[in-house]
Amino acid sequence: MKIHDWSTGPYPARVRIALAEKNLQSRVRFVSVNLYKGEHKKPEFLAKNYSGTLPVLELDDGTYLAECTAITEYLDALDGPPTLTGRTPLEKGAIHMMSKRAELELLDAISVYFHHATPGLGPDVEIYQNAEWGLRQRDKALRGMHYFDGILKRQPFVAGEAFSMADITVIGGLIFAGLVDVPVPAECEALQAWYARMQQRPSVKNRVTMSDRAEAPVEDRFV
């Protein structure tokens, strides 16, 4: 299998963490797609993923899977029992609900802020920007942080008692927030403590070096 991604990207981080949690790193080869050069918007990449987003999983038979949730579902079912997407109907429902909320209320909101209210990927890629909309989404992400803080005051993980895809999605959001200098509010102590624990997981700590790629240039950290 191949993973088309960008090693420091918050969305690729979700799939890299899932790969490590399932111990599947040895079964994939990483193909770097340069976001700052707009390679993800070129016709040759759009033929792989209509949405022009990363990451993309390419299977040996030439099938392409895009979208982090879909790729994680595939990986979780590929080898052994599912550990990230739930085993029972209730577990599956709760994990998907919380992962979707993490996308809407945190990760995607930070992404909109990055692309609209900061220089983003640069003028060659950011064809249209709306700073007001970007700042509104930043504020939405901060509200999302308070929401997840409340959740983590009551339970050890985002979707309940075990680490799951929902946790990975929130981690992706907080990785992105850190890169664009949107810190977790000081009063969100439960979320801060949870994130500190998550950063100690090998799957999270080693996500960038997983592809054995040289450390990205300084400007690449803002992706």
Side-chain angles (χ1 to χ4, degrees), residues 143-163:
R143 292 193 297 272
M145 291 178 188
H146 280 90
Y147 168 73
F148 287 107
D149 181 66
I151 294 294
L152 292 163
K153 286 178 180 178
R154 305 193 300 268
Q155 58 196 39
F157 296 98
V158 173
E161 298 300 315
F163 183 85

Side-chain angles (χ1 to χ4, degrees), residues 54-185:
L54 298 176
V56 173
L57 174 66
E58 180 181 353
L59 305 181
D60 292 341
D61 66 359
T63 299
Y64 294 100
L65 285 178
E67 309 302 335
C68 294
T69 297
I71 297 171
T72 301
E73 286 272 9
Y74 177 84
L75 296 173
D76 201 26
L78 186 62
D79 189 20
T83 59
L84 300 174
T85 56
R87 301 189 185 191
T88 69
L90 180 57
E91 286 179 353
K92 288 179 179 293
I95 289 168
H96 276 270
M97 175 182 72
M98 296 307 292
S99 186
K100 186 63 175 180
R101 286 182 178 175
E103 288 181 339
L104 292 173
E105 305 299 328
L106 181 57
L107 178 55
D108 291 350
I110 289 290
S111 180
V112 172
Y113 168 68
F114 170 72
H115 288 292
H116 284 273
T118 80
L121 294 173
D124 293 337
V125 179
E126 308 293 0
I127 305 301
Y128 168 78
Q129 290 187 300
N130 183 329
E132 181 182 1
W133 177 239
L135 292 171
R136 289 179 63 184
Q137 290 299 297
R138 178 200 60 188
D139 294 343
K140 178 179 181 179
L142 290 170
R143 292 193 297 272
M145 291 178 188
H146 280 90
Y147 168 73
F148 287 107
D149 181 66
I151 294 294
L152 292 163
K153 286 178 180 178
R154 305 193 300 268
Q155 58 196 39
F157 296 98
V158 173
E161 298 300 315
F163 183 85
S164 73
M165 177 174 64
D167 295 278
I168 295 174
T169 309
V170 175
I171 290 168
L174 294 183
I175 288 171
F176 212 161
L179 293 176
V180 295
D181 297 322
V182 179
V184 176

